[in-house]
Amino acid sequence: MFFVDKPYISEFFKTTLRDNAIPVVATDMAKQLDLYGQTKLISEDEAVKIVQDKDDTIIYTTSENSIGWISKHLKFNCLPQKIALFKDKVKFRELTRSIFPDFYFKEVLIEDLKKIRFDQLPLPFIIKPSVGFFSMGVYKVSNYAQWGDTIESIFVQIEQIKDLYPQQVLSTRSFIIEQCIDGDEFAVDAYYNSIGEPVILGILNHTFASDTDVSDRVYSSSKVIIENNLEEFTDFAGKIGKLAGVKNFPVHIELRRQTNGTLLPIEVNPMRFGGWCTTADLSFLAYGFNPYLYYYQQKKPDWHEVLKGKEGKLFSVVVLDNSTGIDVEDISSFDYDKLVSNFENPLELRKIDYKKYPVFGFLFTETREDNFIELKNILDSDLNEFISTNAKMA
């Protein structure tokens, strides 16, 4: 059974639910998300009974907002505890300590941030909410001057984001400080099947504008990216899954390959693929198979066949986060047509209510590898060229 929740579900996902009669739990939020007619809805009581009768129920959530429902209604099952192993970044580091014994991390309560002995921290380091989402509250610190600015920024951002998501999705009660992981970053959509084996459904390279960039602006997939990493990432996911003891469990893994070849996990997001129906939808747009359905039906992509004819192409999702530096209330419009005109083969544009969420939208694109400049341009942009401001800002 699947759960749907805010902030967003795609038309592709809605179609998948309807056309394949996938049971959807009829929460109050599910009733507000304009699911297509003939979607198979089941009551919350029925959902609980299904899990009681079948311990290894296949469950997927479009949004981590649904974790709250699972924690409340499925306490009798091990699933809430398995989710917590991944969702809480401190618990995750403790879980994987046996694989990565030399990795530095430290939990700090929000009220203790200003009391930290800076000279005892490894430089550079990353600080982020222990329970977080969507790069919110994530900062890289390389020196003492940055540390002071970072603490100030954290408290400012807390006020901006504290009501956007449930506590199970984003909590600013505590933060984790951990060593900075260098190297190429990747995002992996996968699931652990009924016997705990990992199945990879997508691999994307997370490209950054600079060494200090921690944004989610561009993720790209290609034949080369998948072929070069599929075996190694499958083995990597298998080790983590074995420690956690998970089955029928979808994940979105973020990891880096260091210059010496070592793979280190950044985090593993439970019960979903990429947020906002992004990376899994991109796999369909790029390669023609449906990751949601593959998980539900326990199928494995035939990557040899899937990647035929994809030579020389980059398939990307561009996250149009509000990096303008301008208060959203002072932004009167975003020029989506101008944005799209900068790409040679846009596949799909999704506009988001940027007054409600800190993102203008998502753009899915196909780009020739030798035309990477169009992706580089949007990486370097603060998006100011696409917005108009209220008259009082002129």
Side-chain angles (χ1 to χ4, degrees):
M1 60 189 178
F2 282 24
F3 288 83
V4 295
D5 209 317
K6 288 181 177 179
Y8 178 88
I9 55 174
S10 65
E11 300 304 307
F12 172 66
F13 185 81
K14 292 180 185 180
T15 301
T16 299
L17 296 176
R18 180 194 64 192
D19 293 353
N20 296 282
I22 298 174
V24 179
V25 182
T27 60
D28 289 341
M29 186 52 62
K31 299 170 186 177
Q32 301 174 34
L33 291 175
D34 298 321
L35 295 173
Y36 293 151
Q38 300 182 319
T39 297
K40 183 178 180 180
L41 295 174
I42 61 174
S43 70
E44 295 178 78
D45 288 342
E46 186 177 355
V48 172
K49 188 175 188 309
I50 288 172
V51 178
Q52 287 174 331
D53 294 342
K54 187 178 181 183
D55 186 57
D56 58 348
T57 304
I58 292 176
I59 296 176
Y60 182 84
T61 67
T62 60
S63 166
E64 292 184 4
N65 289 4
S66 299
I67 290 175
W69 191 98
I70 292 172
S71 298
K72 178 180 178 181
H73 293 88
L74 303 183
K75 293 178 181 178
F76 59 87
N77 189 271
C78 67
L79 185 58
Q81 288 74 33
K82 299 295 185 184
I83 291 172
L85 285 176
F86 295 103
K87 186 58 191 169
D88 187 312
K89 294 174 176 59
V90 175
K91 288 183 178 179
F92 176 71
R93 291 299 180 198
E94 292 170 345
L95 171 72
T96 56
R97 194 193 296 270
S98 62
I99 310 177
F100 314 105
D102 299 324
F103 188 86
Y104 176 90
F105 67 94
K106 176 184 179 67
E107 183 179 22
V108 182
L109 297 178
I110 182 68
E111 59 264 29
D112 294 332
L113 272 181
K114 297 179 180 179
K115 306 174 187 176
I116 294 175
R117 286 281 304 275
F118 184 80
D119 59 351
Q120 295 181 354
L121 300 176
L123 292 177
F125 63 81
I126 298 291
I127 180 168
K128 55 188 175 182
S130 296
V131 179
F133 177 65
F134 206 51
S135 290
M136 293 180 177
V138 179
Y139 296 90
K140 180 178 181 179
V141 179
S142 300
N143 55 60
Y144 186 73
Q146 286 182 345
W147 178 234
D149 293 339
T150 296
I151 292 178
E152 182 178 347
S153 297
I154 284 173
F155 281 96
V156 170
Q157 191 172 31
I158 284 174
E159 288 303 309
Q160 297 172 341
I161 66 178
K162 63 181 181 180
D163 297 325
L164 281 180
Y165 299 96
Q167 287 292 304
Q168 294 90 348
V169 178
L170 176 65
S171 173
T172 53
R173 184 190 67 83
S174 73
F175 285 73
I176 183 171
I177 292 175
E178 56 186 35
Q179 71 182 64
C180 190
I181 307 172
D182 295 320
D184 292 333
E185 182 171 319
F186 297 89
V188 182
D189 285 334
Y191 72 88
Y192 296 95
N193 63 19
S194 60
I195 58 175
E197 295 175 341
V199 176
I200 303 295
L201 299 171
I203 300 174
L204 301 94
N205 183 213
H206 185 186
T207 310
F208 294 94
S210 68
D211 289 340
T212 58
D213 183 16
V214 293
S215 72
D216 289 323
R217 180 58 57 82
V218 174
Y219 290 84
S220 298
S221 181
S222 72
K223 175 182 170 73
V224 171
I225 289 170
I226 290 173
E227 288 181 339
N228 286 353
N229 298 290
L230 181 61
E231 183 177 351
E232 190 177 11
F233 288 4
T234 301
D235 180 66
F236 179 85
K239 291 177 180 177
I240 293 175
K242 187 175 182 180
L243 283 177
V246 288
K247 299 177 182 179
N248 291 337
F249 198 90
V251 289
H252 180 74
I253 304 170
E254 297 177 10
L255 60 92
R256 282 191 183 237
R257 178 184 284 108
Q258 297 184 295
T259 52
N260 64 4
T262 302
L263 297 180
L264 283 175
I266 299 170
E267 59 188 36
V268 178
N269 299 289
M271 301 311 298
R272 64 171 176 87
F273 304 135
W276 296 69
C277 293
T278 50
T279 54
D281 287 29
L282 180 67
S283 288
F284 175 75
L285 291 169
Y287 306 119
F289 72 90
N290 188 329
Y292 307 111
L293 197 56
Y294 269 43
Y295 167 55
Y296 183 68
Q297 297 178 344
Q298 300 278 286
K299 293 174 65 176
K300 184 177 181 179
D302 182 344
W303 285 109
H304 178 72
E305 289 296 319
V306 164
L307 295 174
K308 284 183 177 178
K310 304 300 181 181
E311 297 81 3
K313 298 178 180 179
L314 285 171
F315 300 96
S316 305
V317 55
V318 180
V319 182
L320 302 166
D321 55 303
N322 186 356
S323 54
T324 63
I326 298 175
D327 191 295
V328 67
E329 296 303 322
D330 294 319
I331 298 175
S332 58
S333 64
F334 187 94
D335 193 337
Y336 294 97
D337 291 337
K338 181 179 178 180
L339 169 84
V340 170
S341 70
N342 290 332
F343 294 87
E344 64 180 18
N345 189 17
L347 301 174
E348 183 176 338
L349 171 69
R350 297 177 180 170
K351 302 176 183 179
I352 302 297
D353 182 358
Y354 58 85
K355 299 286 188 180
K356 188 173 184 180
Y357 296 102
V359 59
F360 295 107
F362 299 86
L363 178 67
F364 297 80
T365 71
E366 178 184 322
T367 305
R368 287 173 291 117
E369 287 181 344
D370 58 9
N371 189 33
F372 183 78
I373 186 65
E374 74 174 20
L375 296 175
K376 175 63 173 158
N377 288 339
I378 198 65
L379 268 173
D380 292 338
S381 173
D382 61 9
L383 304 186
N384 270 282
E385 67 265 39
F386 303 112
I387 68 167
S388 296
T389 57
N390 298 325
K392 66 178 181 179
M393 290 287 294

